[in-house]
């Protein structure tokens, strides 16, 4: 929504880990179109849907047939369906609202990446990229599949022999991973093959319309569009991420491409395809780490396409590199020492979510500094010094003109209290269909409980945990909270409503006013495992008494904390 | 009082706006055994909830005005009540420092959740439009955000220096407005909990009520100096002032009436319900009948119906309707 006073600098990038989510062992993640829900595929075959606003579990998609670890999840355009691919070679289509399995198809190989056709609201066609062979278009209703061509030779066959240069450095036998993605409306498929070429294939008639060779010719591991469809990035085995500008229009791109190629009579065969290709994609930038030559993993764009983020594929480190579109590396985010397996940028907010090999999902966000000028109603924040020129009568004892003017608000102006504006952040909300932005929150009945001591296993089904940030600045105890200790803290939150106190303190990011309050809460909960050192709760033990008396006692305490 | 009201945002049209049709008392519901603190129609208009210092919340059918359920469970008086967007759940704020969520569809009126965390009386409460969060304001000067599903306190905001009198989400749930006895009215980012703007920052008079307009662009603020102001919060300037009623002591709720022309409706300490034309600020009607301060008013979302609640001397909920021509 266009709320005018929310900081317009939304299009920025995250800086620190804000919190983490834990529920089972999560392997892959995907945001829905608006970023209100986060789907995560788990190692036990279920999918967890997180409500991103409350950071709690909204739904779990479980089925007795689906028990193999999930390799990828994908939302349908309006958020009603989720496609999950698993290591037992299956693809499962779920209905999000009622949590039921709608369709299940078993293929020849395990799919690494599955994508639903983005153009329709009830998609039945999906693109599956298996581990070691050509991508397939699968019809989920009939189960039929069409193999996409991964290379074009003059002989016209669709298979490809592995290029000797593309053997992986650890000596494992070369296979031919191919990456593929739909364009924004799904009429074209962009395939990156193991020879280092991008093929543009029509998704209806499976014809190759164009080829764009990538310099260096190494295996394409990932190929991703930005949300607007304006930019495309490829991640190649030569450790370079390349960003291309998409020259085709967003809508009806296939028609445009066909028209372009049928008009072009100069060239034939592969030459023609390459010429057409040069009219579709234009190389914009290349990103690499020249010093350490890292292999990249899971690169993607920010929601507005301004930033590119890629993770280091080196084991044992959790590093995210952020570049701006001009090519400058702006930030390296470093997380706990666990390898990263998946990454996603929030569609709207400057938030990044990363999955570590330990099955935890980390949320990276901006470090919030309080906007102090918000506290004074007529304060205006300046970017730089402004020269103030005083009025002629400024220091007169009785300035004539200016005094009365401020109160002269036009009170006769018509005020419109009912018209609402369209949301401009989502350009194609011509929403012919209802978009699913959130799942109805049904309050779980209270467990008639006794003591909130931890260790008592939670009776509630989805005892979700969210934990504290790892960054040093949020250290409540004055010491860095190491990953090793976090599971301990998480256990402390297992009982849902008594976790009211302790989990609220986990979310505090700044040890300022909020930090004081959570010290107070800790003081109130002697049973908590995370015993803060006596120093922090000493002064605030008054709050413990404050609980039983009324507001007046509290007031004195609270005012001390301010600013 | 025949006013020149009824003016919706029609440009200088040739036909004069239709004359204002006055509301009249349709029914008096002898609802509670102690002062009624709040009345609210549900979003679908079928139900009416009333909260009282007698520790109960009563749910009425808004068409037949029969009592459907009595929600009992709080150990102290209830100050505020709010409906979820699908009209299935009601949450209530009480002096026993808890917020309770009730399922109104269950025949027994069952309390589904108890949200604990505030350290003093909880005074005001509201669902967000997605109804996955509840915001509550309390005498402990904080605002808390609760996850409806698990009951977990998602965030605590040290909002004010005095009891928080009113909290409300805007149309898409991204910001919250809060008013307090400390005289300030502040706007908070719901996702991050940071203060986005302070609308009013005078020490007096106390802000007794604040609420967003239906399109989320304006805020109606009531202050304890007999004044109601309509603010444009992006510019930080108020656009309209409504006076004529009495409001010095109690946190009287006011609301927008948009079903038949645009009006501002508010209770008053002179035992009447006041209606003003939104644009011209003229008072178009004064509804008399209550025998004590009218503490709360609510407009039906579709019909021209107003519900009002009276304090201890009165203890009734009155329903007013507009005569059809």
């Amino acid at each position: 929504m266009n709320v005018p006073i929310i900081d317009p600098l939304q299009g920025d990038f995250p800086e620190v880990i804000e919190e983490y989510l834990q529920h089972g062992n999560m392997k892959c993640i995907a945001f829905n179109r608006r970023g209100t829900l986060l789907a995560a595929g788990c190692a036990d075959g279920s999918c967890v849907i997180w409500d991103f606003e409350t950071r709690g579990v909204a739904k779990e998609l479980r089925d007795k047939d689906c028990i193999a670890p999930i390799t990828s999840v994908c939302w349908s355009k309006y958020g009603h369906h989720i496609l999950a691919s698993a290591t037992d070679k299956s693809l499962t289509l779920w209905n999000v609202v009622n949590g039921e399995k709608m369709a299940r198809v078993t293929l020849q190989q395990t799919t690494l990446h599955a994508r639903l056709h983005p153009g329709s609201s009830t998609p039945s066609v999906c693109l599956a990229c298996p581990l070691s062979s050509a991508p397939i278009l699968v019809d989920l209703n009939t189960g039929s599949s069409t193999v996409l061509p991964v290379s074009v030779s003059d002989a016209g066959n669709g298979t490809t022999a592995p290029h000797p240069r593309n053997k992986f450095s650890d000596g494992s036998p070369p296979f031919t991973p191919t990456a593929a993605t739909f364009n924004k409306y799904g009429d074209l498929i962009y395939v990156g093959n193991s020879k280092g070429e991008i093929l543009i294939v029509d998704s209806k008639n499976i014809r190759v319309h164009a080829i764009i060779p990538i310099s260096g010719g190494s295996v394409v591991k990932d190929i991703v569009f930005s949300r607007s469809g304006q930019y495309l990035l490829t991640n190649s085995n030569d450790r370079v991420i390349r960003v291309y500008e998409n020259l085709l229009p967003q809508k009806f791109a296939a028609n445009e491409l066909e028209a372009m190629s049928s008009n072009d009579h100069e060239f034939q065969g592969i030459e023609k395809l390459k010429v057409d290709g040069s009219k579709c994609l234009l190389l914009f930038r290349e990103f690499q780490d020249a010093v350490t030559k890292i292999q990249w993993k899971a690169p993607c764009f920010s929601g507005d396409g301004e930033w590119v983020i890629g993770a280091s594929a080196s084991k044992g480190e959790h590093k995210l590199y952020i570049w701006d579109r001009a090519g400058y590396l702006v930030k390296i985010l470093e997380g706990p020492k666990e390898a990263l397996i998946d990454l996603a940028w929030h569609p709207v907010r400057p938030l990044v979510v990363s999955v570590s090999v330990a099955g935890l999902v980390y949320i990276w966000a901006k470090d919030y500094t309080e906007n102090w000028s918000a506290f004074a109603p007529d304060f205006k924040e300046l970017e730089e010094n402004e020269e103030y020129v005083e009025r002629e009568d400024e220091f007169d004892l009785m300035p004539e003109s200016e005094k009365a003017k401020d109160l002269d608000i036009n009170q006769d102006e018509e005020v419109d209290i009912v018209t609402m504006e369209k949301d401009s952040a989502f350009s194609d909300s011509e929403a012919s269909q209802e978009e699913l932005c959130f799942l109805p929150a049904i309050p779980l009945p209270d467990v008639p409980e006794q003591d909130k001591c931890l260790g008592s296993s939670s009776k509630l089904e989805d005892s979700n945990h969210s934990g504290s940030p790892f960054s040093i600045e949020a250290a409540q105890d004055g010491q860095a909270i190491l990953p090793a200790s976090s599971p301990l803290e998480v256990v402390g939150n297992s009982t849902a409503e008594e976790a009211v106190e302790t989990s609220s303190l986990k979310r505090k990011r700044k040890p300022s006013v909020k930090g004081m309050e959570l010290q107070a809460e800790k003081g109130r909960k002697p049973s908590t495992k995370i015993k803060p050192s006596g120093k922090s709760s000493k002064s605030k033990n008054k709050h413990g008494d404050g609980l039983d008396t009324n507001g007046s006692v509290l007031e004195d305490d609270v005012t001390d904390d301010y600013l | 009082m025949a006013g020149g009201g009824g003016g919706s945002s029609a440009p200088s049209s040739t036909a004069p706006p239709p004359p204002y049709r006055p509301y009249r008392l349709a029914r008096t519901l002898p609802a509670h055994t102690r002062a009624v603190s709040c009345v609210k129609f549900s979003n679908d208009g079928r139900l009416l909830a009333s909260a009282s210092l007698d520790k109960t919340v009563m749910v009425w059918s808004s068409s037949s005005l029969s009592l459907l359920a009595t929600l009992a469970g709080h150990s102290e008086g209830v100050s505020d009540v709010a409906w979820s967007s699908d009209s299935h759940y009601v949450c209530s704020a009480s002096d026993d420092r808890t917020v309770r969520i009730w399922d109104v569809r269950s025949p027994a009126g069952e309390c589904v959740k108890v949200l604990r965390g505030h350290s003093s009386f909880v005074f005001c409460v509201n669902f967000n439009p997605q109804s996955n969060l509840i915001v509550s304001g309390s005498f402990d000067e904080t605002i808390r955000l609760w996850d409806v599903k698990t009951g977990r306190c998602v965030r605590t905001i040290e909002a004010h220096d005095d009891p928080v009198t009113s909290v409300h989400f805007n149309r898409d749930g991204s910001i919250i407005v809060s008013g307090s006895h400390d005289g300030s009215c502040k706007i908070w980012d719901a996702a991050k909990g940071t203060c986005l703007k302070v609308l009013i920052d005078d020490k007096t008079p106390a802000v007794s009520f604040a609420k967003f307009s239906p399109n989320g662009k304006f805020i109606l603020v009531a202050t304890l100096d007999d004044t109601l102001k309509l603010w444009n919060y992006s510019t930080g300037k108020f656009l309209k002032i409504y006076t004529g009623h009495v409001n010095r002591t109690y946190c009287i709720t006011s609301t927008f009436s948009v079903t038949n022309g645009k009006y501002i409706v508010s209770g008053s300490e002179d035992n009447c319900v006041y209606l003003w034309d939104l644009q011209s600020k003229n008072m178009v009607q004064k509804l008399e009948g209550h025998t004590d301060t009218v503490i709360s008013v609510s407009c039906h979302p579709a019909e021209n119906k107003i519900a009002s609640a009276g304090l201890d001397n009165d203890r009734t909920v009155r329903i007013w309707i507009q005569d059809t021509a």
Side-chain angles (χ1 to χ4, degrees), chain B residues 91-138:
Chain B
C91 65
S92 57
S94 164
D95 283 356
D96 66 2
R97 295 175 305 193
T98 66
V99 174
R100 280 180 186 244
I101 306 180
W102 312 82
D103 182 346
V104 298
R105 294 166 301 174
S106 72
E110 173 193 320
C111 171
V112 182
K113 275 201 118 37
V114 180
L115 310 177
R116 295 178 213 279
H118 276 295
S119 45
S120 185
F121 314 140
V122 190
F123 197 68
C124 44
V125 78
N126 247 313
F127 273 94
N128 68 343
Q130 296 90 326
S131 295
N132 55 4
L133 286 175
I134 287 178
V135 64
S136 63
S138 159

Side-chain angles (χ1 to χ4, degrees), chain B residues 188-204:
Chain B
W188 308 87
D189 181 320
K192 305 179 205 154
T194 51
C195 178
L196 290 172
K197 192 153 190 164
V198 173
L199 210 50
I200 308 170
D201 199 19
D202 315 316
K203 291 287 174 258
T204 54

